[in-house]
């Protein structure tokens, strides 16, 4: 044996080593250090210690008709155009959108029956030709049946390219003095009092004849390029300025014209129907918006709009127009008016914009969710939303659950419903009808990580007063009346 051949001192060292090894071995095998047990959180919501996270979202899509970009197929039959329009609304509903910004006035014409302007060229290929159906009426009925809103989207001044023959009853034909030709396109002159009266009449006609939920303008005011210090009257409104400009500079006068129109339309909307929202989607940055004389920040300060949807079509980290910086600016200047940033769905999948990934769009939405004054998003535009991979990502990741539309606007006439009282039979939730409720939203609670906060995920919105739940889950119900909502019902846990 090796042991017998070692000197006494070596034997001693070997014995010490063996004893130490044995002690360590016994320590590892016989007395293992207990692993800390992970605390198992209860499945049941505790009203005394836990909190619910619930933020309703305005989820809108721009449905563009100019250029037949999203809809319709020009010259298709009334039946085909109707079916296609309803299909678009169905698809948006399936992606958990709840608002359609429907382009009903692309070029001072109409996608609705009007006594003031002709039927749109983009319906039949001939401006003024009756398409055989009423697109706005179809959209409103289909959307309302699906619990969605329709906001009538209008371009106030644009007449369009000189290549399009105007109908005999087009306002620019009846009143040629209203129109200005600029860079191959025609525009109504924003400085004319008659044009301002015409726009007021157009909005009045829509609200009086259609059950629209909103009036919406985009970023087309004075044309891009009109603000030019070296050629201030390239947009030829000098005669109008000489008549109405007074002591103002031409730039101040044009800005005042837009402001007057914005305020006037807002007053018109609220006078006719305070339930109708009034929103504008200016260019994404305030300084860009001012190049077309649209002082969106002033509109917020004066509270002339019910919501502002700046078109922030740049990614997070953009060198000169960082989405985060621009959104922070609007949130800080909201003055209690909801901000609903426009997102550039059209950039996803375009190799020109490699930064616009699915994750980029998710990050933009989530950034908005972190701001108190941001109430949702507007996506530009429908055909790009329906891009296969983006569509599935919106449904699976960005909007995996339904949402009610937030309380917005100045309406105080709609009664607030009472809170439902929910009972449980096995796994079936049920409740009785409550006063002033037109529908009900069912929420399932999901604990946020290991915290005492629970996300409220909307699983059902409709007139049904029952819901089949799942074991180990907590539920509550909200009664809905338009944009008014009841307090939460009692919370029911299913063992």
């Amino acid at each position: 044996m090796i042991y017998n051949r070692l000197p006494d001192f070596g034997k001693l060292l070997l014995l010490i080593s063996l004893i130490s090894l044995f002690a360590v071995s016994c320590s590892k095998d016989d007395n293992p250090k207990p692993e800390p047990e992970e605390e198992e959180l209860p499945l049941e919501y505790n009203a005394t210690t836990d909190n619910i996270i619930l933020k309703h979202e305005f989820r809108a899509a721009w449905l563009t008709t100019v250029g037949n970009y999203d809809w319709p197929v020009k010259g298709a039959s009334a039946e085909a155009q109707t079916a296609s329009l309803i299909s678009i609304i169905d698809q948006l509903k399936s992606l958990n959108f709840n608002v359609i910004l429907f382009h009903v006035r692309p070029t001072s014409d109409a996608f609705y029956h009007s006594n003031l302007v002709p039927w749109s060229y983009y319906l039949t290929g001939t401006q003024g030709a009756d398409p055989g159906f009423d697109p706005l009426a179809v959209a409103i009925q289909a959307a309302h049946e699906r619990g969605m809103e329709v906001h009538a989207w209008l371009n106030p001044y644009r007449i369009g390219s000189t290549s399009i023959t105007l109908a005999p009853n087009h306002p620019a034909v009846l009143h040629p003095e209203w129109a200005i030709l600029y860079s191959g396109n025609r525009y109504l002159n924003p400085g004319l009092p008659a044009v301002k009266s015409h726009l007021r009449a157009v909005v009045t006609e829509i609200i009086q004849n259609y059950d629209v939920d909103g009036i919406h303008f985009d970023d087309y005011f004075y044309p891009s390029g009109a603000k030019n210090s070296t050629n201030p009257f390239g947009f030829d409104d000098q005669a109008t300025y000489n008549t109405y400009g007074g002591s103002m500079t031409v730039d101040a006068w044009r800005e005042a014209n837009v402001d007057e129109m914005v305020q006037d339309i807002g007053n018109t909307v609220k006078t006719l129907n305070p339930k109708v929202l009034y929103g504008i989607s200016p260019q994404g940055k305030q300084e860009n918006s001012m190049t077309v004389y649209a002082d969106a920040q002033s509109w917020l300060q004066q509270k002339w709009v019910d919501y502002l949807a700046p078109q922030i079509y740049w990614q997070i980290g953009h060198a000169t127009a960082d989405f985060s910086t621009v959104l922070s600016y609007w949130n800080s200047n909201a003055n209690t008016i909801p901000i609903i940033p426009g997102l550039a769905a059209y950039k996803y999948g375009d190799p020109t914009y490699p930064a616009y990934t699915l994750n980029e769009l998710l990050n933009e939405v989530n950034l908005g969710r972190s701001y108190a004054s941001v109430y949702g998003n507007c996506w530009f535009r429908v055909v790009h939303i329906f891009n296969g991979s983006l569509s599935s990502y919106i449904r699976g990741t960005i909007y995996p659950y339904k949402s009610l539309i937030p309380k917005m606007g100045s309406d105080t006439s709609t009664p607030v419903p009472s809170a439902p009282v929910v009972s449980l039979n096995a796994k079936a939730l049920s409740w009785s009808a409550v006063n002033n409720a037109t529908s009900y939203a069912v929420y399932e609670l999901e604990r946020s990580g290991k915290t005492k906060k629970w996300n409220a995920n909307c699983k059902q919105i409709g007139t049904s007063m029952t819901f089949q739940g799942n074991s180990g889950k907590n539920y509550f119900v909200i009664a809905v009346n338009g944009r008014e909502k009841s307090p939460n019902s009692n919370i029911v846990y299913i063992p």
Side-chain angles (χ1 to χ4, degrees), residues 26-336:
C26 288
S27 173
K28 288 182 178 178
D29 297 338
D30 299 337
N31 299 293
K33 188 176 182 180
E35 292 285 336
E37 290 187 11
E38 187 172 338
E39 181 184 0
E40 187 172 333
L41 296 171
L43 296 176
E44 187 170 359
Y45 175 82
N46 187 330
T48 61
T49 61
D50 298 352
N51 295 300
I52 293 173
I53 303 170
L54 173 57
K55 189 173 184 180
H56 307 296
E57 288 187 327
F58 186 102
R59 300 172 177 176
W62 276 291
L63 175 50
T64 309
T65 59
V66 69
N68 302 100
Y69 290 151
D70 289 328
W71 178 89
V73 174
K74 186 165 55 185
S77 69
E79 293 75 17
Q81 289 184 350
T82 298
S84 176
L85 180 56
I86 293 173
S87 175
I88 288 172
I89 295 171
D90 273 332
Q91 290 179 76
L92 290 171
K93 173 68 174 178
S94 73
L95 299 182
N96 289 328
F97 281 79
N98 52 26
V99 178
I100 298 158
L101 305 174
F102 186 30
H103 206 185
V104 301
R105 178 187 166 88
T107 51
S108 299
D109 50 10
F111 274 77
Y112 55 93
H113 179 76
S114 173
N115 293 318
L116 299 172
V117 293
W119 286 106
S120 178
Y121 161 83
Y122 299 108
L123 282 162
T124 63
T126 301
Q127 191 178 80
D130 190 333
F133 75 114
D134 188 327
L136 181 54
V138 169
I140 291 171
Q141 180 177 344
H144 287 179
E145 287 174 351
R146 291 157 179 79
M148 305 171 73
E149 290 193 356
V150 172
H151 293 210
W153 164 21
L154 298 85
N155 293 118
Y157 304 124
R158 183 171 62 190
I159 299 172
S161 171
T162 55
S163 64
I164 296 176
T165 300
L166 300 180
N169 63 329
H170 193 284
V173 174
L174 298 174
H175 305 280
E177 72 279 8
W178 290 5
I180 294 176
L181 178 64
Y182 179 76
S183 295
N185 288 284
R186 293 163 290 194
Y187 301 86
L188 294 177
N189 184 348
L192 289 174
V195 168
K196 296 171 186 176
S197 296
H198 170 70
L199 294 175
R200 188 186 316 118
V202 166
V203 170
T204 298
E205 183 181 54
I206 291 173
I207 293 177
Q208 287 182 336
N209 294 336
Y210 295 91
D211 187 20
V212 294
D213 303 287
I215 296 293
H216 180 91
F217 291 155
D218 64 13
D219 57 330
Y220 282 91
F221 296 98
Y222 278 85
S224 179
K227 192 172 189 176
N228 188 322
S229 58
T230 59
N231 185 22
F233 293 107
F235 181 78
D236 189 11
D237 58 353
Q238 186 165 12
T240 312
Y241 170 66
N242 291 341
T243 302
Y244 300 104
S247 61
M248 289 185 285
T249 66
V250 63
D251 287 341
W253 172 71
R254 287 173 177 168
E255 184 181 319
N257 289 330
V258 175
D259 279 352
E260 182 182 340
M261 184 275 292
V262 167
Q263 182 182 20
D264 185 39
I265 295 301
N267 290 337
T268 300
V269 170
K270 296 310 171 186
T271 299
L272 292 169
N273 187 347
K275 295 180 183 180
V276 174
L277 295 180
Y278 177 43
I280 301 179
S281 56
Q283 295 187 35
K285 296 177 69 175
Q286 167 71 1
E287 51 267 44
N288 293 355
S289 188
M290 291 299 291
T291 65
V292 294
Y293 301 102
D295 189 355
Q297 182 179 335
S298 176
W299 308 337
L300 293 173
Q301 297 311 307
Q302 302 295 332
K303 295 184 182 291
W304 287 341
V305 294
D306 292 317
Y307 67 89
L308 195 79
Q311 300 171 31
I312 312 179
Y313 295 160
W314 308 280
Q315 74 270 20
I316 296 171
H318 189 281
T320 58
D322 169 38
F323 183 94
S324 303
T325 302
V326 176
L327 184 58
S328 177
Y329 169 85
W330 290 116
N331 180 72
S332 299
N333 287 277
N335 193 31
T336 72

